[in-house]
Amino acid sequence: MARFRVRRPASLAAAATALLLLGSAPAAVAEPSDRQLTSRLLPIPPGGIHSFVKGLNSSGTVVGDYYVEGSDGPLGIRWNAGRPGYSRLAPLPGEKFSRTTALSDRGWVVGLSFDTQPNSHPVRWRSDGVPTRLALPDGSGNGNASAVNNAGVAVGDASVENNRSRPLRWQSDGSRTDLPVLPGDDSGTATSINRAGTAVGWTEKRDGTDGPAHPVRWNAAGAVSALPLPAGIVGARTSQITDNGVVFGHGRRAGSTAYDRVLVWAADGTVRDAGRGRGYDVNRAGTAVGASLEDNPNGDTARWNADGTRTVLANPAEAAGEVLAINNRGAAVGYAWPPAGNPALDKALLWKPDGTVVPLPPSSLGPYAAAFAINDAGVITGFSVGTDGAGNATTWRATVWKR
């Protein structure tokens, strides 16, 4: 379930960035209860023109970023469940921009503060929206906070000399731990942390040979261990660990430079190669979702089941798509893009646990949208797209769908 972090796929990011820098099988029939889903644009401050979702937690609180007209950078924002309006997540004093990256179930938020990229500083926001700088090692020009757990423990990395990075962990009191890398490696990053304080990521040797990354796990005490690889896979990058210890990432085959094999490590440490694709999320049962590249170079909406099978999910009258999140009940969300035309004009979709596909209702901006996250209560978040008279995308707005 995408509770701590929501990732925007490159196909959507490219369309949004361009504007901001100015800019299968037949579908199953939906049940009547699906019509009860409604969409709502999340509010943004006066002068705001675009907003994006970066995190959704179990209570329905959402975090993201918004952009003000004429500005060349984002500002962090939180929409609290059960309360109207929003809370601004300010940059550090003296800086202009802030960007959220992760949200925990207890409301901890982490992200970045900066004036210009890549000189960014990792931050953690208090409940009142005031940021606290997360310390970086001496000599580091910038860093990133990737994830945070319910205890407020965050992980990420810092950029150091010779294009290397150092994996880091910050306790709730702000104290920093430099996490070790595997013997022989000199660079690494931590990408996710669960409730028990176990973190995952990867380490590698940055010597210009384009060698493979080594997937790793750090226990709560900070000790590093290598994760096993399936036969034929020489390296991997891990992106997520669930609270019960399921790990998710992408592997690289021998002779290839592409990390295009969807890998899932069960809580007991066994690993499976689920196939070629772009994976985006995994739930505690070990079911992963994303876009399968086995039969379609653009990607088939897919679910990789815990029993090792693959399900190509229904994608109504579209050329390709991606499933971006799955909750612990097995419901998944994502989007489909059109066979031709503007790739930003996507359709937001919900897949029930039985594979039934449900198009999500349109917002006041129009019919185009993408769904990025779903929690166990069935709250869905993503963004809606507004268009001009010629059908060109002009506006992106954070959106919530709920019953």
Side-chain angles (χ1 to χ4, degrees), residues 182-375:
L182 292 175
D185 289 344
D186 59 10
S187 183
T189 186
T191 57
S192 182
I193 185 169
N194 68 8
R195 185 174 299 171
T198 302
V200 295
W202 68 86
T203 69
E204 57 193 324
K205 178 72 172 177
R206 289 280 181 90
D207 58 2
T209 62
D210 196 28
H214 306 120
V216 299
R217 176 166 44 203
W218 292 275
N219 66 19
V224 65
S225 59
L227 290 169
L229 293 171
I233 302 296
V234 296
R237 295 169 175 166
T238 57
S239 56
Q240 186 179 351
I241 183 170
T242 66
D243 282 338
N244 67 333
V246 174
V247 179
F248 172 63
H250 292 85
R252 169 177 160 178
R253 277 187 164 173
S256 173
T257 60
Y259 289 86
D260 59 358
R261 307 295 299 185
V262 176
L263 304 183
V264 180
W265 288 263
D268 64 6
T270 57
V271 59
R272 77 179 194 268
D273 179 353
R276 185 166 174 261
R278 297 186 297 269
Y280 291 109
D281 198 20
V282 69
N283 66 14
R284 64 189 176 205
T287 302
V289 292
S292 173
L293 300 175
E294 298 285 358
D295 307 308
N296 182 350
N298 293 318
D300 286 320
T301 47
R303 181 180 67 213
W304 294 278
N305 305 302
D307 64 5
T309 62
R310 179 190 63 155
T311 300
V312 175
L313 296 168
N315 184 351
E318 300 289 348
E322 295 179 310
V323 190
L324 301 184
I326 184 169
N327 68 14
N328 290 317
R329 298 174 183 267
V333 295
Y335 71 104
W337 61 74
N342 191 326
L345 304 184
D346 303 305
K347 301 292 182 64
L349 301 172
L350 162 70
W351 290 271
K352 294 181 178 182
D354 66 1
T356 302
V357 63
V358 181
L360 294 177
S363 74
S364 57
L365 287 180
Y368 305 115
F372 282 176
I374 180 170
N375 66 14

